Amino acid sequence: MALFTEAAVRAFQRNREGRRVFYLGDGDRLTPGARDFLRDNHIELLPAEKARPQVYKTLQGAELREKPEHMTHLDAQILVPKDHPRILFRGQVDALEADLLLAQREALDEGYRAICKDLGDALEFARQALRREALNEPMEAIRLGGLDPAELRARSHMPQKYYHQPHFMPDHTQSRTLLTINRARTTARAAELACYRAFRDVSGLCTREDLLQGFNRLSSYLWILEIRLASGQEKKG
């Protein structure tokens, strides 16, 4: 028996014949917030047994009655090897979420509540990107910490102008909050590269520019948070 929160429902909702659905198993329950989210977003609640296709398919058109251990779901019915580029991309985003959560914990412990809140924007973007990639849905226009893509780029490129803090190399004497954000920033860069590999077409163009730009701007946003901390002007409490 499982209890699904709103965050879990957001992560595990699916797309079925053009409509959003959520599968709930026998004995599983929803929190009030999760139930409200389903209702407010017109997401249909279906029994879990309807989620199990009788026949799995591969990208090559083969049909399988059982899911082999070396394969996983690309979507509800299509199986791919676990080293498929889109699966590797999802794994990298999962790693990014883990690093962002650790950074939030450090920020909270060190009293940087504003930074913790701003990291929440980064975490929400990563979770939305993972969901929309799985559902083949476009991303909404990115906005992190109240900044649009152009503002994120400008502030990350010219920190002296906006924060009176030049670019710098992080070192071990700086706060754990800054250093964990720096680690999350590198993971965001890795997610960006994984995104390009997953959606690169034969001509070298990316078929999911919305995701690619999003992760590029996300790493810029995390660098801005580091800049704010390095400036010494970020207040605690």
Side-chain angles (χ1 to χ4, degrees), residues 16-230:
R16 177 176 175 176
E17 298 176 354
R19 69 184 194 278
R20 293 159 69 186
V21 300
F22 182 79
Y23 296 104
L24 193 69
D26 289 340
D28 292 344
R29 295 180 297 122
L30 299 167
T31 64
R35 195 171 292 278
D36 289 345
F37 175 78
L38 291 171
R39 183 192 65 244
D40 294 345
N41 290 276
H42 309 289
I43 300 171
E44 187 176 359
L45 189 62
L46 296 175
E49 55 267 21
K50 289 191 175 181
R52 302 187 182 97
Q54 294 183 349
V55 177
Y56 297 106
K57 294 183 178 180
T58 70
L59 291 175
Q60 293 73 35
E63 295 186 349
L64 303 172
R65 293 287 178 181
E66 299 290 337
K67 184 173 78 69
E69 284 298 323
H70 73 282
M71 303 189 82
T72 190
H73 290 275
L74 186 62
D75 57 30
Q77 290 190 328
I78 300 296
L79 295 179
V80 294
K82 290 181 177 179
D83 64 351
H84 185 281
R86 283 179 63 180
I87 304 304
L88 296 179
F89 167 64
R90 293 173 189 177
Q92 193 62 58
V93 178
D94 194 29
L96 172 60
E97 288 187 33
D99 280 348
L100 288 170
L101 286 168
L102 286 173
Q104 279 192 294
R105 180 73 256 180
E106 291 291 353
L108 193 61
D109 287 347
E110 292 190 332
Y112 293 112
R113 293 187 177 275
I115 292 289
C116 182
K117 181 179 180 297
D118 289 340
L119 284 166
D121 279 3
L123 183 63
E124 178 61 20
F125 167 81
R127 288 174 171 170
Q128 283 292 319
L130 198 60
R131 183 179 70 81
R132 290 178 182 270
E133 182 276 328
L135 296 176
N136 289 312
E137 294 179 351
M139 288 290 294
E140 296 177 358
I142 186 173
R143 197 169 186 86
L144 295 167
L147 303 174
D148 64 25
E151 291 170 322
L152 289 166
R153 189 174 189 277
R155 288 176 181 245
S156 66
H157 283 214
M158 297 179 288
Q160 181 71 49
K161 174 182 177 181
Y162 293 96
Y163 304 105
H164 308 291
Q165 168 65 45
H167 289 290
F168 67 98
M169 291 291 289
D171 66 58
H172 69 283
T173 65
Q174 289 166 316
S175 71
R176 292 183 64 89
T177 299
L178 189 153
L179 296 179
T180 52
I181 293 174
N182 188 58
R183 176 169 179 165
R185 180 186 59 81
T186 66
T187 313
R189 284 291 189 195
E192 180 187 353
L193 295 176
C195 178
Y196 176 66
R197 287 191 293 267
F199 294 102
R200 178 179 56 200
D201 65 17
V202 294
S203 64
L205 298 176
C206 181
T207 61
R208 288 300 305 260
E209 283 283 343
D210 57 335
L211 289 173
L212 191 67
Q213 184 195 64
F215 281 101
N216 179 277
R217 296 301 187 269
L218 177 62
S219 62
S220 296
Y221 177 61
L222 295 174
W223 178 237
I224 289 170
L225 299 187
E226 290 183 63
I227 290 287
R228 284 167 49 186
L229 287 165

